[in-house]
Amino acid sequence: MLPASAYAVDADIRRAESLPAAAFTDVEFLTRELETIFHNAWLFAPEPNSDDDTRSLAAQVAARGARAPFAQLGRPLFLQRGWDDDELRAFGNTCTHAWFPLVQGPSRGPTLVCGQHGRRFDCTGRFVSQPGFAGLPDFPRACDHLAPVAVAPWRDHLFTRFAADGAPLAETLAAVDESLVRFPDNLARAPGAGVVREVAGNWKQHAWNYLDRFHIGFIHRAPGGLADAIDLASYQTELHGDAVLQWAWASDPADGIDPALLPARFADPGGRRVFALWWFVWPNLTLNFYPWGLSVNVYQPVPGRPDVTRFIWTHHVLDPQKHAARDRRWLSSQVDAEDIDALAQVTRGLRSGLAPRGRFAPADETGPHWFHRKVALAVTP
Ligand code: FES
Ligand SMILES: [Fe+2]
């Protein structure tokens, strides 16, 4: 790692330099990010990616005693609904005896029995019994019970946090919630629309690019690009603590969100309609609300590999007909392909070893500046 001062990002966008290239290529910097940013933040729990069972993760663990496995940053975890209470808990999916994964798929019951040597846990994660362990001194120890991970629901989704302490999820998402008070929260998971890809580029390049309105007129240019579908001059970037909202009027009001679904501040007496609410939630989640529903993107770092990102993409449908037209009217696949290609090129550009720290265009790059500074403060406080 470079000295901490080499990563500092000035609060004044007119003076600030971007994070150095090393922050995007250095394995040690990625390790530090995992220990700080990804340890302390609420992280979206990726929805199960199965065509057979399209229930959300939250639905899979709605009933008393229900449990379901999932992974966060490649780490196996499981969710467990209480048997004697309604509480939802999350634990490492690792037996405390000899580390066998405890939960292989959705199941339900008052106790959980490990498949390798029969250790039994209750629905609060406490060791109950195991053959051969009766009368052992100093047993069970605290670490023979399962270690909890924080979990919190949001609409039909779940977030987890490895750190035991921190602000509640509702605080992180307060501004997002304010924008969604009239937006339905019972969207249906689109079958077969889940995508998990390993794509080129550090996770921060994807977040940076998402927050960058400046590239739209170039990478998504007219004719036929996103720059045509929106009124680019109306593009707004709003910084809200741990979340950033970007939005613009649709060029054609028929492609805009029904004003009845949005707060009054998005109403336009001239009849213009919002093309999308593009929410970025620190550190690596985007929630994209369109007339057809919600597109969720997660940019997961891959431990030990700073030059790739695990890109998770699911759809949650409000209007099936509009969802079917998402590529034609909202350019869903086209914008995605253009961004993925641009970031593969940036990743190649970085390999020169001659990339200086950049500067920010003050009117156009408030989102990227916010993000770079937040990373710097979190990793090298
Ligand atoms: S690993 Fe679970 S009982 Fe041995
Ligand atoms: Fe883009």
Side-chain angles (χ1 to χ4, degrees):
M1 284 252 307
L2 304 170
S5 60
Y7 300 99
V9 176
D10 201 297
D12 179 353
I13 190 171
R14 293 159 25 84
R15 296 181 186 285
E17 294 183 298
S18 69
L19 288 165
F24 297 81
T25 58
D26 181 359
V27 176
E28 203 183 330
F29 192 84
L30 175 57
T31 303
R32 285 283 298 147
E33 289 175 328
L34 292 168
E35 291 165 355
T36 54
I37 295 171
F38 290 93
H39 181 74
N40 293 318
W42 285 106
L43 304 176
F44 187 85
E47 294 294 342
N49 201 14
S50 157
D51 286 349
D52 309 328
D53 187 348
T54 58
R55 289 179 305 163
S56 66
L57 205 49
Q60 290 188 355
V61 291
R64 287 268 178 110
R67 58 186 71 94
F70 70 109
Q72 186 59 274
L73 294 170
R75 295 166 65 173
L77 307 175
F78 75 96
L79 294 159
Q80 173 73 66
R81 181 73 62 183
W83 184 259
D84 299 313
D85 61 24
D86 272 326
E87 191 143 347
L88 184 62
R89 298 172 176 89
F91 303 102
N93 196 358
T94 311
C95 182
T96 55
H97 173 226
W99 314 327
F100 197 72
L102 286 165
V103 179
Q104 310 288 342
S107 66
R108 195 175 167 217
T111 56
L112 169 59
V113 182
C114 178
Q116 196 170 22
H117 318 94
R119 181 167 288 201
R120 188 176 290 268
F121 300 89
D122 71 14
C123 291
T124 71
R126 293 191 68 78
F127 170 92
V128 175
S129 63
Q130 185 176 3
F133 278 74
L136 218 62
D138 186 27
F139 187 85
R141 305 155 303 166
C143 63
D144 288 306
H145 308 297
L146 295 172
V149 172
V151 58
W154 180 76
R155 296 167 81 87
D156 192 33
H157 305 284
L158 298 168
F159 284 70
T160 61
R161 187 183 61 203
F162 291 110
D165 300 317
L169 176 64
E171 209 169 284
T172 298
L173 295 173
V176 182
D177 284 331
E178 185 272 335
S179 76
L180 298 177
V181 282
R182 296 159 76 184
F183 206 91
D185 63 359
N186 57 344
L187 309 184
R189 168 71 193 279
V195 179
V196 183
R197 291 173 291 175
E198 189 176 292
V199 295
N202 182 270
W203 72 274
K204 293 190 296 303
Q205 276 165 356
H206 292 271
W208 174 1
N209 177 69
Y210 180 87
L211 289 162
D212 168 25
R213 75 153 171 228
F214 201 12
H215 79 285
I216 296 172
F218 297 89
I219 298 293
H220 310 302
R221 63 184 163 270
L226 180 63
D228 256 350
I230 61 174
D231 170 7
L232 196 50
S234 71
Y235 202 97
Q236 307 281 319
T237 301
E238 301 176 4
L239 310 181
H240 295 276
D242 276 345
V244 175
L245 173 63
Q246 299 174 94
W247 66 276
W249 300 122
S251 296
D252 180 350
D255 295 336
I257 300 176
D258 180 349
L261 301 181
L262 297 177
R265 75 181 178 103
F266 297 104
D268 177 45
R272 291 178 299 180
R273 289 185 170 197
V274 174
F275 184 77
L277 295 181
W278 291 299
W279 274 107
F280 178 86
V281 181
W282 171 258
N284 67 334
L285 168 67
T286 78
L287 302 168
N288 306 287
F289 294 90
Y290 291 93
W292 59 258
L294 165 65
S295 162
V296 176
N297 281 197
V298 184
Y299 311 128
Q300 280 195 341
V302 180
R305 300 178 62 201
D307 60 340
V308 297
T309 295
R310 202 158 166 271
F311 191 107
I312 300 169
W313 189 4
T314 55
H315 292 162
H316 308 269
V317 179
L318 172 65
D319 179 325
Q321 279 175 354
K322 288 181 176 170
H323 177 252
R326 68 192 178 282
D327 285 339
R328 184 170 51 80
R329 294 176 62 188
W330 290 279
L331 308 178
S332 189
S333 297
Q334 178 182 332
V335 170
D336 172 68
E338 289 165 348
D339 281 326
I340 294 295
D341 177 64
L343 292 167
Q345 299 203 49
V346 170
T347 305
R348 276 203 298 283
L350 261 182
R351 291 193 190 125
S352 72
L354 297 167
R357 301 184 69 175
R359 294 288 293 270
F360 298 104
D364 285 308
E365 297 187 284
T366 53
H369 172 248
W370 170 91
F371 178 72
H372 282 235
R373 183 165 160 76
K374 223 164 151 57
V375 170
L377 290 173
V379 177
T380 56

PDB file of all heavy atoms in Angstrom, residues 95 97-100 114 116-119 130, ligand 1:
ATOM      1  N   CYS A  95     -20.491 -25.141  10.361  1.00  0.00           N
ATOM      2  CA  CYS A  95     -20.660 -25.812  11.647  1.00  0.00           C
ATOM      3  C   CYS A  95     -19.485 -25.490  12.559  1.00  0.00           C
ATOM      4  O   CYS A  95     -18.331 -25.409  12.108  1.00  0.00           O
ATOM      5  CB  CYS A  95     -20.768 -27.318  11.430  1.00  0.00           C
ATOM      6  SG  CYS A  95     -21.028 -28.233  12.961  1.00  0.00           S
ATOM      7  N   HIS A  97     -18.228 -27.382  14.749  1.00  0.00           N
ATOM      8  CA  HIS A  97     -17.433 -28.562  15.088  1.00  0.00           C
ATOM      9  C   HIS A  97     -16.250 -28.719  14.130  1.00  0.00           C
ATOM     10  O   HIS A  97     -15.097 -28.587  14.526  1.00  0.00           O
ATOM     11  CB  HIS A  97     -18.326 -29.825  15.058  1.00  0.00           C
ATOM     12  CG  HIS A  97     -17.557 -31.101  15.238  1.00  0.00           C
ATOM     13  ND1 HIS A  97     -17.752 -32.203  14.444  1.00  0.00           N
ATOM     14  CD2 HIS A  97     -16.562 -31.436  16.106  1.00  0.00           C
ATOM     15  CE1 HIS A  97     -16.922 -33.171  14.825  1.00  0.00           C
ATOM     16  NE2 HIS A  97     -16.196 -32.727  15.843  1.00  0.00           N
ATOM     17  N   ALA A  98     -16.532 -28.995  12.876  1.00  0.00           N
ATOM     18  CA  ALA A  98     -15.440 -29.207  11.910  1.00  0.00           C
ATOM     19  C   ALA A  98     -15.763 -28.553  10.570  1.00  0.00           C
ATOM     20  O   ALA A  98     -15.266 -28.981   9.538  1.00  0.00           O
ATOM     21  CB  ALA A  98     -15.150 -30.697  11.747  1.00  0.00           C
ATOM     22  N   TRP A  99     -16.649 -27.518  10.629  1.00  0.00           N
ATOM     23  CA  TRP A  99     -16.815 -26.546   9.533  1.00  0.00           C
ATOM     24  C   TRP A  99     -17.594 -27.041   8.328  1.00  0.00           C
ATOM     25  O   TRP A  99     -17.471 -26.505   7.236  1.00  0.00           O
ATOM     26  CB  TRP A  99     -15.442 -25.990   9.100  1.00  0.00           C
ATOM     27  CG  TRP A  99     -14.589 -25.598  10.251  1.00  0.00           C
ATOM     28  CD1 TRP A  99     -14.996 -25.098  11.443  1.00  0.00           C
ATOM     29  CD2 TRP A  99     -13.160 -25.688  10.343  1.00  0.00           C
ATOM     30  NE1 TRP A  99     -13.943 -24.854  12.269  1.00  0.00           N
ATOM     31  CE2 TRP A  99     -12.784 -25.212  11.610  1.00  0.00           C
ATOM     32  CE3 TRP A  99     -12.158 -26.114   9.466  1.00  0.00           C
ATOM     33  CZ2 TRP A  99     -11.456 -25.169  12.046  1.00  0.00           C
ATOM     34  CZ3 TRP A  99     -10.835 -26.066   9.883  1.00  0.00           C
ATOM     35  CH2 TRP A  99     -10.492 -25.593  11.167  1.00  0.00           C
ATOM     36  N   PHE A 100     -18.405 -28.056   8.489  1.00  0.00           N
ATOM     37  CA  PHE A 100     -19.292 -28.495   7.396  1.00  0.00           C
ATOM     38  C   PHE A 100     -20.371 -27.421   7.192  1.00  0.00           C
ATOM     39  O   PHE A 100     -20.840 -26.827   8.164  1.00  0.00           O
ATOM     40  CB  PHE A 100     -19.952 -29.826   7.808  1.00  0.00           C
ATOM     41  CG  PHE A 100     -20.564 -30.596   6.684  1.00  0.00           C
ATOM     42  CD1 PHE A 100     -19.763 -31.235   5.738  1.00  0.00           C
ATOM     43  CD2 PHE A 100     -21.944 -30.719   6.570  1.00  0.00           C
ATOM     44  CE1 PHE A 100     -20.329 -31.978   4.714  1.00  0.00           C
ATOM     45  CE2 PHE A 100     -22.517 -31.456   5.538  1.00  0.00           C
ATOM     46  CZ  PHE A 100     -21.714 -32.090   4.612  1.00  0.00           C
ATOM     47  N   CYS A 114     -26.406 -30.790  11.833  1.00  0.00           N
ATOM     48  CA  CYS A 114     -25.307 -30.787  10.873  1.00  0.00           C
ATOM     49  C   CYS A 114     -25.194 -32.155  10.196  1.00  0.00           C
ATOM     50  O   CYS A 114     -25.265 -33.200  10.843  1.00  0.00           O
ATOM     51  CB  CYS A 114     -23.994 -30.443  11.574  1.00  0.00           C
ATOM     52  SG  CYS A 114     -22.589 -30.495  10.440  1.00  0.00           S
ATOM     53  N   GLN A 116     -22.639 -33.592   8.875  1.00  0.00           N
ATOM     54  CA  GLN A 116     -21.381 -34.340   8.932  1.00  0.00           C
ATOM     55  C   GLN A 116     -21.246 -35.204  10.189  1.00  0.00           C
ATOM     56  O   GLN A 116     -20.862 -36.365  10.088  1.00  0.00           O
ATOM     57  CB  GLN A 116     -20.166 -33.418   8.797  1.00  0.00           C
ATOM     58  CG  GLN A 116     -18.905 -34.227   8.466  1.00  0.00           C
ATOM     59  CD  GLN A 116     -17.706 -33.385   8.079  1.00  0.00           C
ATOM     60  OE1 GLN A 116     -17.617 -32.213   8.400  1.00  0.00           O
ATOM     61  NE2 GLN A 116     -16.764 -33.995   7.385  1.00  0.00           N
ATOM     62  N   HIS A 117     -21.549 -34.631  11.391  1.00  0.00           N
ATOM     63  CA  HIS A 117     -21.454 -35.452  12.607  1.00  0.00           C
ATOM     64  C   HIS A 117     -22.601 -35.178  13.570  1.00  0.00           C
ATOM     65  O   HIS A 117     -22.476 -35.410  14.770  1.00  0.00           O
ATOM     66  CB  HIS A 117     -20.135 -35.243  13.361  1.00  0.00           C
ATOM     67  CG  HIS A 117     -18.904 -35.154  12.513  1.00  0.00           C
ATOM     68  ND1 HIS A 117     -18.380 -33.965  12.069  1.00  0.00           N
ATOM     69  CD2 HIS A 117     -18.087 -36.136  12.027  1.00  0.00           C
ATOM     70  CE1 HIS A 117     -17.276 -34.190  11.346  1.00  0.00           C
ATOM     71  NE2 HIS A 117     -17.090 -35.500  11.294  1.00  0.00           N
ATOM     72  N   GLY A 118     -23.694 -34.613  13.056  1.00  0.00           N
ATOM     73  CA  GLY A 118     -24.917 -34.551  13.851  1.00  0.00           C
ATOM     74  C   GLY A 118     -24.987 -33.488  14.943  1.00  0.00           C
ATOM     75  O   GLY A 118     -25.815 -33.580  15.840  1.00  0.00           O
ATOM     76  N   ARG A 119     -24.135 -32.463  14.896  1.00  0.00           N
ATOM     77  CA  ARG A 119     -24.276 -31.387  15.895  1.00  0.00           C
ATOM     78  C   ARG A 119     -25.598 -30.681  15.669  1.00  0.00           C
ATOM     79  O   ARG A 119     -25.998 -30.443  14.531  1.00  0.00           O
ATOM     80  CB  ARG A 119     -23.106 -30.402  15.791  1.00  0.00           C
ATOM     81  CG  ARG A 119     -23.170 -29.275  16.822  1.00  0.00           C
ATOM     82  CD  ARG A 119     -21.877 -28.495  16.940  1.00  0.00           C
ATOM     83  NE  ARG A 119     -20.835 -29.297  17.600  1.00  0.00           N
ATOM     84  CZ  ARG A 119     -19.759 -28.788  18.197  1.00  0.00           C
ATOM     85  NH1 ARG A 119     -19.571 -27.478  18.225  1.00  0.00           N
ATOM     86  NH2 ARG A 119     -18.856 -29.568  18.765  1.00  0.00           N
ATOM     87  N   GLN A 130     -24.753 -32.879  20.770  1.00  0.00           N
ATOM     88  CA  GLN A 130     -24.072 -33.643  19.726  1.00  0.00           C
ATOM     89  C   GLN A 130     -23.658 -34.977  20.313  1.00  0.00           C
ATOM     90  O   GLN A 130     -23.101 -35.027  21.418  1.00  0.00           O
ATOM     91  CB  GLN A 130     -22.834 -32.893  19.201  1.00  0.00           C
ATOM     92  CG  GLN A 130     -22.187 -33.631  18.022  1.00  0.00           C
ATOM     93  CD  GLN A 130     -21.019 -32.877  17.419  1.00  0.00           C
ATOM     94  OE1 GLN A 130     -20.630 -31.813  17.911  1.00  0.00           O
ATOM     95  NE2 GLN A 130     -20.454 -33.428  16.360  1.00  0.00           N
TER      96      GLN A 130
HETATM   97  S1  FES B   1     -18.894 -30.559  11.164  1.00  0.00           S
HETATM   98 FE1  FES B   1     -20.855 -30.348  11.924  1.00  0.00          FE
HETATM   99  S2  FES B   1     -21.032 -31.920  13.363  1.00  0.00           S
HETATM  100 FE2  FES B   1     -19.017 -32.106  12.669  1.00  0.00          FE
END
